[in-house]
Amino acid sequence: MSKEINTIGVLTSGGDAPGMNAAIRAVVRTAIANGKKVKGIRRGYSGLLEEDIIDMDSKSVADIIQRGGTILYTARSAEFRKEEGKQKAVEICKKHGIDGLVVIGGDGSFKGAQRLAELGINTVGIPGTIDLDIACTEYTVGFDTAVNTAMECIDKIRDTSTSHERCSIIEVMGRSAGYIALWCGIANGAEDILIPERYDHDEQRIINNIIAKRKVGKTHHIIVNAEGIGDSYGMAKRIEEATGIETRATIIGHVQRGGSPTCKDRVYASAMGAKAAEILCNGGSNRVVGYRHGEFVDYDFNEGLAMTKDIDAYMYDMAKKLSRS
Ligand code: F6P
């Protein structure tokens, strides 16, 4: 059932991601072009519950497309997770005349948006996370920038690792998703890629691999660890003890979440922002925007949130084959 709306709110929620500003800009400018008013909600759902709401116009999103982070700030809200928090959020939206809402974030944020839609606020989600772990889309805002940042860091570590003929463990972000690790593992020619979706906890195999590679003349050994594997420093110590090869661990950390978005993140985030605003302007609700099979698409939240995805088996197997020499 479609409902005409007058005012679109936009918020960013959960971990920030480069390209979120491009998405905000596109939401604001598309809504204005369609004759709607726009309100920015600062600090995600937490800010919504605190009525941290500002009027936005075309000028408020000037000069932000190239900036990392999110001009609206972001947060995780324990209060909003509760049903009473969601009911309160609806009352606040009504008080401020917000009848359509764009939520830029991950699955957890979308579940909140889905409930708001049931409670009468038209909502649309845009996948914003560096982790790429949203099932209904092959692209999430920020992944491309994050993976390029991590790749550049690993290139640098590789230089010093080779000079010292060391083994290097580099931990990239991804608590439960190994996409950044897998992509960097391939792009940086890592000898081993450890991801939560596939890790078998066989450290002896990793040690044997290092020794075997050293015997055939490899002067460095790069292991890319996803954050979810954990204990990179402990692993480095155990590897050094077992192999006699100097081993260092580097946790790249939040460097991956910042920085100027890549061209892809700017363009795709813009397309998704525009699409989200158009859906609301056309009376749509309870939708999540995605990118699949070469197209920008949208799904009902129920359908999108029910989807599952796993690491691409071809990519994972290919990475393993290429690191075998
Ligand atoms: O979801 C994005 C992400 O960067 C994950 O890769 C990471 O595990 C997590 O957020 C870190 O969250 P925080 O910034 O709250 O420590």
Side-chain angles (χ1 to χ4, degrees), residues 14-16 76 128-131 133 172-177 180 227-228 254 257:
D16 65 348
R76 297 182 174 105
T129 167
I130 65 163
D131 289 344
D133 60 347
V172 297
M173 274 189 161
R175 231 183 326 243
S176 46
I180 298 179
E227 181 187 351
H254 286 80
R257 285 246 296 268

Side-chain angles (χ1 to χ4, degrees), residues 287-298:
R287 312 290 296 174
V288 53
V289 172
Y291 181 82
R292 282 185 111 197
H293 312 306
E295 269 185 293
F296 291 98
V297 291
D298 59 285

